[in-house]
Amino acid sequence: MSTQAVTPAAPAPARRRDRRPRTLARSGGVGGLGMGLAMLWLSLIVLLPLAALAAKSLDGGLSAFWDSVSSRQAVSALKFTLIVSVIVAAINAVAGVAIAWTLVRDDFPGRRVVNAIIDLPFAMPTIVVGITLLALWGPTSPVGVNLAFTQLSVALALLFVTLPFGVRAVQPVLIELDTEMEQAAASLGAGPLTTFRRIILPNLIPAILSGAALSFARAVGEFGSVILISGNKPFDTQVSSVFIFKQIESDNASGAAAVAVVLIGVSLLMLIALRFIEYWGARHDH
């Protein structure tokens, strides 16, 4: 009578199964601790101050909050801030593409220096930007052009501090862009403008929108670069951040907090739009 040999089960898989839950458990514990520390730090640095600001804005109740944000001067400052920020974001969208294209596709002496100068507005204190622009475009301008205390001077200051956003958002996409499609289009007789409009621009749109959104968000809350050169003229060159500062000086902390809450709401909406743009850009790339 023949017997069948029974093959014993290999112990290795069992040992792997035993090790995996312990590894996951340890990872989950560390992950939970890290999440707790991250949320604690976020709460202390961001959430609690925002909650305190919201509570301060409601010191006089909802009616006082509404009176603060709907006053003629507050509405004028908010309106001017939003309009000039949209204009600055649109200009950065165009100029950012042009500068990024030059840095990526053209080879010229001093390109690395120019590439480094793009980030200079990030490194400079914003109040220094205001003094610099006032020295160039102020009453003692060396070029003989006095733009100080005008709406154009506010736009110039915001363009200075938001310049890197438009360039740095587009530049990496241009670097990674596959040039084979451009060569194929050129071989089929497409001109440079057609190639850019049909092939390059669709791939850049998510990055352009992202850079414009970041420029808008920075321009809405900008303070240091505009406080000197704007002149802070109500109903003319007064931006919301300077209006808030003046309310604090006038001992109207709750009114300043109310307008600040509105600016935070605008910034939050822009961040949501930016996340949507990033999600859409990821789907577009896929």
Side-chain angles (χ1 to χ4, degrees):
M1 183 174 60
S2 62
T3 59
Q4 295 180 346
V6 179
T7 304
R15 288 197 296 270
R16 284 197 298 267
R17 285 196 299 267
D18 289 341
R19 281 201 304 268
R20 186 175 179 183
R22 288 197 297 269
T23 303
L24 291 176
R26 288 196 299 270
S27 177
V30 173
L33 179 60
M35 177 64 71
L37 291 175
M39 293 305 300
L40 176 61
W41 184 252
L42 180 64
S43 299
L44 291 175
I45 300 300
V46 179
L47 298 181
L48 286 179
L50 290 179
L53 178 67
K56 186 66 178 179
S57 68
L58 296 173
D59 275 354
L62 288 175
S63 60
F65 177 93
W66 176 251
D67 291 340
S68 298
V69 300
S70 62
S71 65
R72 289 184 62 245
Q73 190 172 350
V75 171
S76 175
L78 286 169
K79 183 179 179 180
F80 175 61
T81 301
L82 294 177
I83 291 175
V84 72
S85 298
V86 169
I87 294 173
V88 166
I91 294 175
N92 272 335
V94 178
V97 173
I99 296 174
W101 182 276
T102 302
L103 292 174
V104 173
R105 296 297 180 92
D106 295 338
D107 190 9
F108 55 91
R111 184 176 64 172
R112 293 184 178 180
V113 176
V114 174
N115 191 43
I117 291 176
I118 297 298
D119 293 326
L120 186 60
F122 284 155
M124 290 179 62
T126 53
I127 191 66
V128 176
V129 175
I131 296 174
T132 303
L133 295 177
L134 192 61
L136 178 60
W137 304 114
T140 59
S141 170
V143 296
V145 179
N146 183 9
L147 299 177
F149 318 137
T150 64
Q151 294 182 354
L152 180 58
S153 67
V154 176
L156 290 174
L158 296 180
L159 283 171
F160 186 99
V161 298
T162 59
L163 170 66
F165 293 107
V167 178
R168 297 310 187 202
V170 175
Q171 191 175 6
V173 181
L174 275 175
I175 293 174
E176 298 296 331
L177 199 62
D178 188 4
T179 59
E180 293 182 357
M181 293 187 295
E182 301 174 41
Q183 297 171 358
S187 65
L188 294 175
L193 183 59
T194 302
T195 302
F196 179 82
R197 181 169 55 89
R198 294 289 186 86
I199 297 177
I200 300 175
L201 185 58
N203 291 283
L204 296 181
I205 286 178
I208 294 173
L209 293 177
S210 178
L214 291 173
S215 298
F216 176 84
R218 172 65 186 273
V220 165
E222 179 57 29
F223 174 76
S225 64
V226 298
I227 189 173
L228 296 179
I229 201 168
S230 69
N232 190 33
K233 294 187 288 185
F235 308 104
D236 186 15
T237 63
Q238 188 178 60
V239 296
S240 297
S241 58
V242 181
F243 172 79
I244 293 171
F245 175 69
K246 291 302 179 180
Q247 293 301 303
I248 293 292
E249 287 190 327
S250 302
D251 199 25
N252 184 17
S254 60
V259 178
V261 167
V262 174
L263 287 184
I264 290 173
V266 173
S267 300
L268 181 60
L269 290 176
M270 186 52 58
L271 288 176
I272 294 173
L274 181 59
R275 294 297 175 265
F276 176 78
I277 291 171
E278 292 176 351
Y279 173 74
W280 176 69
R283 292 189 60 185
H284 180 271
D285 293 339
H286 179 70

